[in-house]
Amino acid sequence: MYRAGEIQDAYALMVKCAQAGDPIACLLAQEWIASINPNPDVNWMKKLEDIAHSGVAEAQWELSQCYRFGNYVNASVNSANYWLEKSAEGGWPEANLHLSWYMASEQYGYELDIRESERRRELAINAGSAEAIYLKAIEIIDTDRESAIMMLRDSASKGFQPAVEVLKNFSH
């Protein structure tokens, strides 16, 4: 509808999705309305936070990223870390992958914890994170090429473009 120029109807559908609890629709509605009206009547970030408080791991992940980078909220490392940890506890793959990185690199106030970092990375892999699967495949490519290629195919099938590019170098 948006591409067809039916902007009001497209926005109305986005609002319905946001009201139904879709975290991405909340973000898109917030972005959309912020570009139209700097003082909107509806605060979709509040709706996203309500969804996150209800325990939806995807909403927690999205809220963590908003706080991490200051998108539609004031940037806050503490709030970003809080929601990241909640999302990871809820099993969101990307949250576990990022938490793994932060624990391995001591970013954003996390202490070095290699054992927990590895555990979080395995959780991300087991939950199907295309990026985590890709990174594991790259790590083992020299020692277990067949497994690595299978993992790259899995990652590529999920739409992870770097895996698609790496697979172009292999013929089977």
Side-chain angles (χ1 to χ4, degrees):
M1 296 180 93
Y2 179 80
R3 289 183 184 150
E6 299 173 27
I7 295 171
Q8 292 299 329
D9 291 336
Y11 179 71
L13 285 174
M14 188 65 64
V15 165
K16 284 183 181 182
C17 292
Q19 289 170 334
D22 184 312
I24 300 300
C26 290
L27 284 174
L28 291 173
Q30 182 68 31
E31 182 175 331
W32 202 334
I33 202 163
S35 69
I36 299 168
N37 180 359
N39 299 310
D41 295 336
V42 179
N43 184 344
W44 291 110
M45 292 307 296
K46 172 72 172 104
K47 176 67 174 176
L48 179 61
E49 192 166 329
D50 290 346
I51 297 167
H53 277 293
S54 77
V56 176
E58 181 182 16
Q60 294 165 340
W61 162 250
E62 295 298 342
L63 196 55
S64 79
Q65 295 305 289
C66 289
Y67 277 113
R68 179 92 49 226
F69 301 108
N71 297 331
Y72 310 114
V73 295
N74 291 328
S76 167
V77 170
N78 289 338
S79 294
N81 290 354
Y82 172 81
W83 288 113
L84 177 69
E85 291 165 20
K86 287 291 201 186
S87 180
E89 290 167 14
W92 195 253
E94 292 352 279
N96 274 303
L97 180 59
H98 281 74
L99 195 51
S100 170
W101 289 338
Y102 302 156
M103 290 176 168
S105 63
E106 298 178 273
Q107 288 184 317
Y108 299 114
Y110 286 96
E111 293 183 14
L112 182 64
D113 189 338
I114 298 301
R115 178 175 286 163
E116 183 63 9
S117 172
E118 287 297 318
R119 187 181 81 79
R120 293 291 178 170
R121 186 174 77 147
E122 287 301 314
L123 287 171
I125 291 168
N126 293 338
S129 166
E131 187 170 7
I133 293 166
Y134 165 82
L135 292 170
K136 180 69 173 184
I138 295 303
E139 181 180 306
I140 67 169
I141 196 100
D142 291 332
T143 58
D144 188 354
R145 184 171 294 244
E146 291 303 315
S147 294
I149 290 172
M150 287 176 41
M151 294 174 84
L152 287 167
R153 287 182 180 144
D154 183 21
S155 180
S157 75
K158 297 172 188 296
F160 195 67
Q161 196 59 37
V164 172
E165 295 302 318
V166 170
L167 281 171
K168 289 178 182 177
N169 294 320
F170 296 97
S171 60
H172 274 262

